Amino acid sequence: MTVIHQPETAEANVETMDWMAAQIKMPYTLTPGQATGIFLAELAGRRLIGSRHGDELIVPAQDFSGTTGEPATGFVEVAPVGTVQAFTTGATGTIGIILIDGSTVPFVHQLLGVEPEMLELGARVEAVWADEPTGGMLDLAGFAPLGSAATFEPKDDPADLAAAFEKVDYTMTLDYRHAYGPYYGTLFDGVKDGRRIRGVKCSACRRTLLPPRALCDICLAPTAEWVDVEAVGTVQASSVVHIEFIGQRLTPPYVYAEIVLDGTSTRLIHMVGDVDPDVAQTAAAPGARVRAVWSDRHTGSLADIDHFELLPGDET
Amino acid sequence: MMNTTTRRVAVVNSAQTVLSPAWPDRQHIDLISEAVAGALKGTGLRIEDVDFVIDSGSDFLDGRSISNCGFLGAMGAHHKEESRVEEDGLWSLSYAHDKIAGGSAKVGLVIAYSKPSESDVRNFWTGLLEPFLQRPVGLDQFSAAGLYAQRYLATAGLKADDLHAVSNRAWERAVANPYVDVAEVPGDAAFWNDPVSTPLRASDLARPADGAVAVLLASADVADQVSATPVWLTGLGSAIDQHFLAAREPDALPACAAATRSALRMAGLDDVRSFDLAEVSATSTVGELMVLEALGFAEAHRGLDAYVGATTINESGGALPADVIMATGLVRLHEAASRLAGRTGYETPGATSALVHGTGGFAMQNHCVVTMEVAS
Amino acid sequence: MSGRSKSIAIVGTGQTVHARRRTDVSQAGLAREAVVEALDDAGLTMDDIDSVIVASGPAMFGAVNQPEKWLVDALGARYKPVVRVTSGGGTGLAGALAGMNQIKGGSAKRVLVVAYDKLSEGQLQASISTLYDPFWGREFAVGIMGFSAAYWHARIKRLGHTEEAAAMVGVKNRKHALANPKAHVKKEITVEDVMASRPLCWPIKVLDVPPISDGACAVILAADEDALSITESPAWIHGMAYYCEADNAADRQMIQSEPLQIAAAKVYQDAGITNPFRQFDVAELQEPYTCFELSYYEGLGLCPEGGAAELVASGETAMGGSLPVNPSGGCMGANPIGATALIRLAEAAMQVTGKAGGHQVPGASRALVQAGGGWANLRGVAVVGSEKR
Ligand SMILES: [Zn+2]
């Protein structure tokens, strides 16, 4: 049972303990709804579909008009041709606001193959299609200056509309550099270098808080005094984890435990290891006495504790 | 008509941390605690006297879900009523105002904070976009500002260099503001001239900042006891625009105008030029001009005129040198209230009324306006 | 203090048909569906609405930051005040409380509260695990399930909230869900089924866990005469509160939920409740796991501390008992987390106005509502009744 912990990018910063890298990365399957789902599905066939809402024709098709809230009452296949209403160039290229011919509501997309210095408001552009559709907005790669414009008559309510996409795959990746700050910094410096666990004592209620913090949550009084705490405590609550899920950091089964270290009044979240999950229900139950087993890692985090072990022969 | 049975609500004190591009050695709770302690300090009110807490922060920026959950102790919210409004702190203040005005509580603490330095801020902004049509195409906070700016400048007959007046003014005032961490107006040519998203340069775009702000609100009976100069909230209004950027007005902010109308109606006023002070939020120079126009400090496309009008605008430096995303509007309110109350370091003789503006959402989709006054 | 205060009522409710996955609508479209039903119920249009409050779970559930900014279009709410209140599983009730305050405080006359989650689109346990402090235990998190199971384990030992007692909650609520047309889990089970089901985070087993759902709920609030001008039968809110506690404050043991007890005391005082078990006709309690319903019985004063197992075994909290709890089926029938709390409130309103159809508690006139979220540290309580108070 091994704690899978800090992303490798944290390595360089462990020395200074300024911040800890953390990443939240999760897969999603997002449902676009009927109108946008049809619009996206039709891109593979290189058709642009708009939605009708009263007097409005919105391209790309949407379920609801942002102006009126009206739902889509029909669909129109429109020309893959439009006019640039605005554009801007930055590090990732040029994007523009484009009004498709016949549409009443413009949208934003990439402008490809343009020299920004030569581009003018009102420029005529046409759709550029992705070579290989992948099932999303970028199947329409963007817009480029109009070549030879073939005439195109908008088609109301085309009978052969593709079925709406039900799901679009999406991965969200969010990277963070969380500051240790003065309190976690002191705690985890001590954990890393000297296997010291330190809490702080509230100046008012005199209870010891771990992790340490500037103010007592209850008294809102300052906590000035650092207190060394032994890595021995009592399980306040525990459960036996069997479930597996995407994004899980540990391999089940393991015993999830909220432990109050002796002398402190707060919860340390970790696991009780080296115990058969079948007997964990009783052996590692609330009230059990446990002791930290240090790993050979020196990361300056709770991962430096490999797990907590049951204190032998304790009859709590 | 609707206000006849409601109570008057005042700002009795407020405080903020220094706003810095990064507070690498302090955590969210450290910043929050400092602001909360500052808001209570000198009022005679203790945390036990606070009935409830309303707070603004962002899960995306904080890197944790329901992030208020982990910060409740620092916010002084333990065993109190608490709610998270995931929008700029000026909306949290509106909630707190309503709770006191409606007679449900007497003293409320409003908190807003963020540490954008801990995350990739672009993810925060692009995460605001619906994920199907706008998020995949490269639209971000910079290109959105650029698209507005190109159309605004064209219609207003201005050049990008004309915007230097807006940003230079903001940075000069920020340098003079001890609560903004900037020693001098940036001098490098790239900052002023190199395009980030045409036609805008780095000098045109709000600089994210870490910080926290706390505002203590109270009903009239409490406010009169604990404050020599309560700052009364006289009008509040908010309004949101539609979501898709390209579908909105090309060079104006009608939702900001709608929020202003609501706030002025509640305050019983019709001319914003009667305010002595204004503190407004924006994510770009052009954005600030459009805000000033929507608020009524200038005609359409004449936002530059607002700075020479009767109302003193953004004496703090405003949002451009220090945009504490989720907290910038409440920082503006703290700045304005401190001046109206004449707090140490904020002495502003003769100023008795102020208008405060906050914004939220992608490319300023949402707007909130609050008006305030002190007895003259 | 409440002398001049307005009385707020629920004048319309709406819910989607909840499902494991709605592939026909986006998150925004899902929310709209509930709003359309609520407006129809009240006989109003969006033009009649002054302000919108959106409540939903953590933004990481759906990969959209501040999703109300997107929902605006589907709600037709351009240029209105729209703000989102987010407070974990109890967020719908927190949103309703914000709406009540808007009306009481004079900033709006009619408020639409819409709550939703489309949990099929993301990774639920991974998302919820990010509730944990990145420095303090996140790697051990199983969403909030490992934590919830751990404290149930402690309550088993201290309060006798046995696995069998919790199983009875699951059996009862799943049976109730059979009569609720909006519920999507409709399968009768036995205590033995629950006991034999696979452990996920023991003592929590598969059948102690609600479904993962897509769903939305909307409620329209108005005050006094205005409420009566909209409907002959408003559901009057006699009290509502939403309290918290610091997640790692000293001596937080969670045998009883202190913020729940504080919220209940406040709301009972406002609502004139002195004997909750006798005075309520029905209750809708948000039970994200079966064990929580037992805990809430005690925290809400429906039985003495340590009496929850006996109460559920008595059958008094089942349909036909003296205080049916979760006639809708509760979370066991559908659990779109961000909407769940508002569903509890809407169901309570339906009960006291006689609109609950097949799962109506006959003659119900006063209902108890509970919801909560976070680390079990955000807790809300409300009382609604057919009589104005
Ligand atoms: Zn203390």
Side-chain angles (χ1 to χ4, degrees):
Chain A
M1 222 172 330
T2 308
V3 178
I4 307 157
H5 203 54
Q6 320 305 347
E8 315 74 67
T9 48
E11 204 59 38
N13 302 283
V14 166
E15 287 307 313
T16 58
M17 301 283 282
D18 281 343
W19 47 267
M20 179 186 78
Q23 186 179 70
I24 296 174
K25 181 175 184 178
M26 289 179 287
Y28 295 84
T29 52
L30 304 172
T31 295
Q34 282 300 305
T36 298
I38 289 169
F39 172 84
L40 294 174
E42 283 285 347
L43 294 180
R46 302 194 165 184
R47 297 206 299 182
L48 284 188
I49 304 298
S51 52
R52 214 183 296 101
H53 310 249
D55 295 336
E56 288 185 296
L57 178 63
I58 304 179
V59 183
Q62 291 173 36
D63 278 337
F64 311 104
S65 158
T67 303
T68 63
E70 289 299 314
T73 53
F75 297 99
V76 181
E77 184 192 349
V78 294
V81 172
T83 304
V84 175
Q85 294 192 329
F87 59 90
T88 183
T89 303
T92 55
T94 299
I95 67 169
I97 291 181
I98 297 140
L99 184 68
I100 294 295
D101 290 1
S103 167
T104 61
V105 182
F107 70 111
V108 174
H109 211 319
Q110 298 176 13
L111 293 172
L112 305 170
V114 294
E115 290 293 331
E117 299 76 24
M118 309 294 288
L119 195 59
E120 289 186 349
L121 295 180
R124 298 283 292 156
V125 289
E126 65 182 345
V128 177
W129 303 99
D131 294 335
E132 285 294 327
T134 55
M137 182 61 174
L138 292 180
D139 290 350
L140 172 62
F143 287 82
L146 182 60
S148 55
T151 53
F152 182 96
E153 282 301 314
K155 295 189 191 72
D156 280 348
D157 297 313
D160 55 344
L161 281 181
F165 277 169
E166 296 190 337
K167 300 172 187 178
V168 173
D169 289 333
Y170 181 74
T171 299
M172 189 171 74
T173 306
L174 303 172
D175 286 303
Y176 296 94
R177 299 167 297 275
H178 293 298
Y180 279 92
Y183 291 90
Y184 275 114
T186 300
L187 167 65
F188 286 126
D189 279 346
V191 164
K192 176 170 172 271
D193 299 326
R195 297 315 195 201
R196 268 178 96 179
I197 299 176
R198 280 176 284 184
V200 285
K201 192 166 279 219
C202 169
S203 59
C205 70
R206 308 298 296 163
R207 287 178 291 196
T208 298
L209 311 177
L210 177 73
R213 62 206 81 168
L215 299 177
C216 172
D217 307 76
I218 295 175
C219 310
L220 222 68
T223 58
E225 193 181 330
W226 287 88
V227 181
D228 273 274
V229 175
E230 247 197 291
V232 174
T234 303
V235 172
Q236 171 162 293
S238 64
S239 57
V240 188
V241 177
H242 298 274
I243 186 177
E244 296 180 25
F245 61 93
I246 289 172
Q248 198 167 18
R249 309 274 192 99
L250 300 171
T251 308
Y254 64 93
V255 177
Y256 174 96
E258 301 214 344
I259 296 159
V260 178
L261 294 187
D262 292 356
T264 71
S265 301
T266 49
R267 301 141 54 215
L268 184 151
I269 298 160
H270 218 287
M271 63 182 178
V272 181
D274 278 345
V275 49
D276 181 342
D278 293 332
V279 303
Q281 296 179 6
T282 48
R289 297 283 294 160
V290 291
R291 170 172 67 199
V293 176
W294 293 98
S295 78
D296 51 12
R297 293 180 294 273
H298 288 263
T299 63
S301 76
L302 280 186
D304 288 2
I305 297 174
D306 189 76
H307 62 271
F308 280 78
E309 64 179 2
L310 295 168
L311 275 184
D314 192 86
E315 302 291 325
T316 301
Chain B
M1 157 210 67
M2 283 189 284
N3 299 325
T4 49
T5 62
T6 60
R7 294 147 184 242
R8 295 217 299 162
V9 180
V11 176
V12 296
N13 201 19
S14 55
Q16 67 169 80
T17 65
V18 168
L19 313 180
S20 173
W23 271 114
D25 52 350
R26 301 181 73 189
Q27 292 198 310
H28 297 91
I29 56 172
D30 300 319
L31 298 175
I32 292 167
S33 294
E34 181 187 327
V36 168
L40 289 168
K41 193 176 173 187
T43 62
L45 292 172
R46 296 171 306 166
I47 195 65
E48 299 91 296
D49 300 313
V50 173
D51 296 319
F52 69 96
V53 175
I54 312 288
D55 47 84
S56 286
S58 161
D59 285 1
F60 263 60
L61 288 175
D62 295 345
R64 44 208 287 174
S65 282
I66 329 178
S67 64
N68 51 316
C69 242
F71 303 150
L72 294 167
M75 295 195 293
H78 182 67
H79 284 182
K80 298 186 191 305
E81 283 209 276
E82 183 269 351
S83 271
R84 161 60 57 91
V85 173
E86 199 159 322
E87 180 54 288
D88 181 273
L90 214 48
W91 277 264
S92 279
L93 177 118
S94 301
Y95 183 155
H97 165 271
D98 287 343
K99 195 167 171 79
I100 297 170
S104 301
K106 290 197 167 191
V107 180
L109 186 57
V110 182
I111 299 166
Y113 68 87
S114 74
K115 285 197 74 191
S117 70
E118 293 201 359
S119 68
D120 178 349
V121 177
R122 189 177 191 273
N123 287 331
F124 169 87
W125 292 111
T126 59
L128 291 164
L129 293 166
E130 54 70 45
F132 306 105
L133 302 174
Q134 294 180 104
R135 207 185 295 180
V137 302
L139 184 59
D140 64 12
Q141 73 273 31
F142 298 142
S143 49
L147 291 168
Y148 267 126
Q150 186 192 41
R151 293 174 292 180
Y152 179 92
L153 293 177
T155 314
L158 295 174
K159 295 272 182 282
D161 284 349
D162 296 326
L163 300 170
H164 284 169
V166 178
S167 42
N168 194 60
R169 182 184 182 281
W171 283 90
E172 280 177 359
R173 280 161 179 74
V175 168
N177 181 342
Y179 284 94
V180 178
D181 177 16
V182 52
E184 55 188 13
V185 176
D188 60 304
F191 177 78
W192 293 100
N193 297 317
D194 289 4
V196 172
S197 199
T198 57
L200 299 181
R201 297 79 176 258
S203 56
D204 292 304
L205 299 162
R207 179 182 70 154
D210 292 357
V213 56
V215 175
L216 196 59
L217 295 186
S219 57
D221 50 337
V222 176
D224 284 330
Q225 278 179 18
V226 304
S227 174
T229 46
V231 180
W232 301 101
L233 301 177
T234 56
L236 301 96
S238 74
I240 198 166
D241 207 334
Q242 58 183 308
H243 179 62
F244 280 81
L245 178 79
R248 301 184 208 160
E249 290 292 313
D251 54 7
L253 299 171
C256 182
T260 310
R261 284 193 297 276
S262 296
L264 293 181
R265 189 163 56 238
M266 180 174 163
L269 297 170
D270 53 17
D271 186 2
V272 296
R273 293 176 176 88
S274 66
F275 289 103
D276 299 317
L277 310 172
E279 283 282 337
V280 310
S281 307
T283 52
S284 71
T285 48
V286 166
E288 186 167 301
L289 296 176
M290 292 195 297
V291 165
L292 292 171
E293 293 159 21
L295 292 170
F297 289 113
E299 300 301 315
H301 307 114
R302 302 289 305 212
L304 286 169
D305 297 348
Y307 300 107
V308 293
T311 306
T312 303
I313 299 203
N314 277 0
E315 199 54 28
S316 67
L320 298 176
D323 186 12
V324 189
I325 304 164
M326 309 306 291
T328 290
L330 197 63
V331 170
R332 305 272 72 71
L333 183 127
H334 159 68
E335 288 277 357
S338 299
R339 283 177 170 76
L340 293 183
R343 290 188 198 122
T344 307
Y346 295 93
E347 295 84 355
T348 312
T352 61
S353 65
L355 178 146
V356 176
H357 163 266
T359 184
F362 187 85
M364 305 199 293
Q365 186 186 349
N366 207 0
H367 297 268
C368 185
V369 174
V370 177
T371 61
M372 309 188 293
E373 66 180 24
V374 289
S376 48
Chain C
M1 189 183 275
S2 60
R4 281 158 62 207
S5 182
K6 300 184 180 92
S7 288
I8 311 296
I10 296 164
V11 297
T13 68
Q15 289 181 52
T16 56
V17 173
H18 313 306
R20 177 64 188 87
R21 175 152 199 141
R22 289 285 305 271
T23 54
D24 56 332
V25 287
S26 66
Q27 295 175 29
L30 186 75
R32 178 188 170 101
E33 213 172 278
V35 168
V36 167
E37 190 174 294
L39 288 167
D40 283 351
D41 187 40
L44 299 175
T45 70
M46 277 305 288
D47 291 342
D48 302 310
I49 300 296
D50 300 319
S51 173
V52 179
I53 292 176
V54 177
S56 64
M60 288 175 198
F61 279 3
V64 181
N65 187 14
Q66 302 178 11
E68 75 282 4
K69 305 292 191 318
W70 172 30
L71 262 55
V72 168
D73 292 8
L75 303 183
R78 183 172 69 143
Y79 300 154
K80 291 186 191 293
V82 175
V83 74
R84 178 161 148 275
V85 172
T86 178
S87 194
T91 189
L93 201 65
L97 184 58
M100 284 180 69
N101 278 304
Q102 286 189 345
I103 298 174
K104 287 191 171 191
S107 70
K109 215 172 137 195
R110 293 164 178 176
V111 177
L112 168 68
V113 184
V114 56
Y116 81 96
D117 255 325
K118 205 159 182 300
L119 300 179
S120 67
E121 302 200 348
Q123 302 300 331
L124 185 62
Q125 297 305 344
S127 285
I128 303 182
S129 296
T130 64
L131 175 68
Y132 282 67
D133 183 338
F135 292 94
W136 205 249
R138 186 179 286 179
E139 60 268 40
F140 307 103
V142 182
I144 206 71
M145 191 193 290
F147 162 88
S148 301
Y151 283 93
W152 177 21
H153 192 182
R155 291 194 295 269
I156 289 174
K157 295 194 65 149
R158 290 274 294 276
L159 300 172
H161 292 183
T162 61
E163 291 181 76
E164 290 80 1
M168 288 178 204
V169 171
V171 169
K172 167 181 74 75
N173 290 352
R174 281 186 171 78
K175 185 171 184 204
H176 290 174
L178 296 174
N180 177 0
K182 301 286 189 182
H184 71 94
V185 173
K186 300 206 176 194
K187 189 170 187 299
E188 216 168 339
I189 56 166
T190 65
V191 168
E192 292 70 35
D193 293 337
V194 182
M195 295 298 292
S197 64
R198 187 163 48 88
L200 298 177
C201 289
W202 184 90
I204 290 177
K205 298 169 291 296
V206 167
L207 290 176
D208 290 307
V209 177
I212 294 170
S213 311
D214 290 355
C217 178
V219 158
I220 297 166
L221 303 174
D224 297 323
E225 290 74 26
D226 185 49
L228 287 166
S229 77
I230 296 167
T231 173
E232 291 173 352
S233 55
W236 297 98
I237 299 173
H238 295 176
M240 189 185 292
Y242 202 85
Y243 279 80
C244 77
E245 69 183 344
D247 68 307
N248 205 2
D251 298 340
R252 185 170 180 240
Q253 298 184 355
M254 287 171 276
I255 296 300
Q256 293 294 338
S257 168
E258 293 178 11
L260 176 65
Q261 292 173 319
I262 297 167
K266 167 79 166 68
V267 170
Y268 289 176
Q269 184 179 25
D270 290 348
I273 302 295
T274 52
N275 185 338
F277 187 76
R278 293 285 161 228
Q279 286 175 276
F280 291 117
D281 303 309
V282 57
E284 283 281 338
L285 313 183
Q286 182 201 341
E287 79 313 5
Y289 302 109
T290 52
C291 58
F292 278 115
E293 188 170 309
L294 300 173
S295 176
Y296 299 153
Y297 288 173
E298 297 176 10
L300 292 162
L302 304 180
C303 66
E305 179 164 283
E310 193 181 329
L311 178 56
V312 73
S314 73
E316 295 286 8
T317 57
M319 282 303 258
S322 53
L323 176 56
V325 173
N326 286 331
S328 66
C331 296
M332 294 301 150
N335 191 35
I337 292 175
T340 297
L342 197 64
I343 293 171
R344 304 278 78 73
L345 183 67
E347 287 284 345
M350 290 157 60
Q351 288 287 348
V352 300
T353 54
K355 292 178 177 174
H359 59 292
Q360 177 71 44
V361 173
S365 68
R366 187 151 51 185
L368 170 65
V369 177
Q370 177 279 342
W375 292 86
N377 61 343
L378 310 171
R379 288 286 179 263
V381 175
V383 173
V384 296
S386 56
E387 299 291 323
K388 187 177 177 185
R389 203 187 132 78

